Amino acid sequence: MSLVGKKFPNVTVDAMSEMGDDLRINVFQEATENQQKVLLFWYPKDFTFVCPTELHAFQEALGEFEKRNTKVIGASCDTNEVHFAWLNVSKDNGGIEGVTYPLLADTHRQLANILGIVDQDFEYNEEGEEVFTGSNVTYRATYLIDETGKIFHESVNDMPLGRNVKEYLRLIDAYTHVQKHGEVCPANWEEGKEAMKADRTSTAEYLSKN
């Protein structure tokens, strides 16, 4: 079930800083109390394959997110200790050394289960006993949250599929344009391009020119 348009869960989760500090982060409060947007991205596991490419990609774009008053937070169900160990492995050895944004450590899967992004299911065997199936880690889910704590974008990739970081910058630009100007953004809209009013006349005019 989609959470777009709803408030992000008001839940506090353990987290790790790049300096090895144990943190407690509430994503909803990060947005509302600091009056900033938040990009929260989940990945399956530390010390894996596609995951470090994504963490480094978000790090490389961190300045662009900061220009847009957007805080980046990574998340998985690993522990703080495992996060810190991975932060101390160099990039050329498959690690995430150099990543400076915080990483949630949702080891109890409290927030991940509320969001419904954990690969898990239950079946029953012939004896009627409950049998757990699935990897019990999260899919590559991404949430964009505005200054009121509302989710304005969510997406979920299967585990082998890495994300396009530039698309999240575009979505933040589009949503910010809507906030500032009250216009709507057509397909493939980018900063500086023409937007539309939310009426039939404006749509017809836009389509006649594009």
Side-chain angles (χ1 to χ4, degrees):
M1 183 178 67
S2 175
L3 297 176
V4 169
K6 298 177 181 177
K7 298 292 186 181
F8 192 84
N10 190 351
V11 174
T12 302
V13 181
D14 288 336
M16 172 58 59
S17 77
E18 81 278 10
M19 300 302 293
D21 298 318
D22 291 324
L23 308 173
R24 296 278 288 165
I25 292 180
N26 183 310
V27 174
F28 177 81
Q29 292 175 4
E30 286 287 331
T32 56
E33 294 182 4
N34 297 318
Q35 283 297 287
Q36 62 183 352
K37 294 180 176 67
V38 175
L39 182 147
L40 173 66
F41 74 97
W42 294 80
Y43 60 92
K45 291 182 187 178
D46 292 352
F47 292 97
T48 51
F49 318 111
V50 175
C51 298
T53 69
E54 293 192 308
L55 271 76
H56 285 296
F58 279 108
Q59 179 65 36
E60 289 168 8
L62 195 59
E64 291 300 317
F65 286 106
E66 290 172 348
K67 287 179 186 177
R68 292 161 171 82
N69 191 33
T70 300
K71 184 178 183 68
V72 173
I73 301 173
S76 78
C77 297
D78 297 280
T79 66
N80 273 358
E81 292 77 13
V82 175
H83 281 337
F84 190 54
W86 203 24
L87 282 161
N88 281 281
V89 177
S90 64
K91 182 178 180 181
D92 57 6
N93 282 319
I96 58 167
E97 185 179 32
V99 167
T100 61
Y101 49 82
L103 301 176
L104 297 188
D106 189 21
T107 54
H108 297 293
R109 292 161 175 76
Q110 180 186 9
L111 179 56
N113 278 319
I114 292 172
L115 296 170
I117 57 173
V118 180
D119 175 28
Q120 62 180 0
D121 204 353
F122 297 93
E123 298 176 354
Y124 292 92
N125 61 21
E126 293 179 357
E127 288 74 36
E129 299 169 326
E130 200 172 55
V131 179
F132 172 81
T133 61
S135 65
N136 204 32
V137 299
T138 65
Y139 294 105
R140 299 187 192 282
T142 313
Y143 297 88
L144 292 176
I145 301 125
D146 73 10
E147 298 85 351
T148 71
K150 185 182 80 172
I151 299 168
F152 66 91
H153 169 83
E154 66 177 340
S155 59
V156 183
N157 289 8
D158 201 356
M159 295 174 192
L161 305 176
R163 282 162 278 219
N164 184 334
V165 173
K166 291 181 180 178
E167 173 63 4
Y168 300 109
L169 292 169
R170 188 192 74 83
L171 288 167
I172 292 168
D173 286 341
Y175 190 75
T176 301
H177 184 92
V178 172
Q179 288 176 307
K180 289 182 177 179
H181 303 285
E183 296 180 317
V184 295
C185 297
N188 300 321
W189 184 92
E190 294 177 344
E191 183 66 42
K193 290 188 175 181
E194 180 184 2
M196 306 184 303
K197 295 179 181 177
D199 59 50
R200 293 181 181 179
T201 300
S202 183
T203 300
E205 290 176 353
Y206 178 86
L207 290 173
S208 69
K209 294 183 288 184
N210 293 276

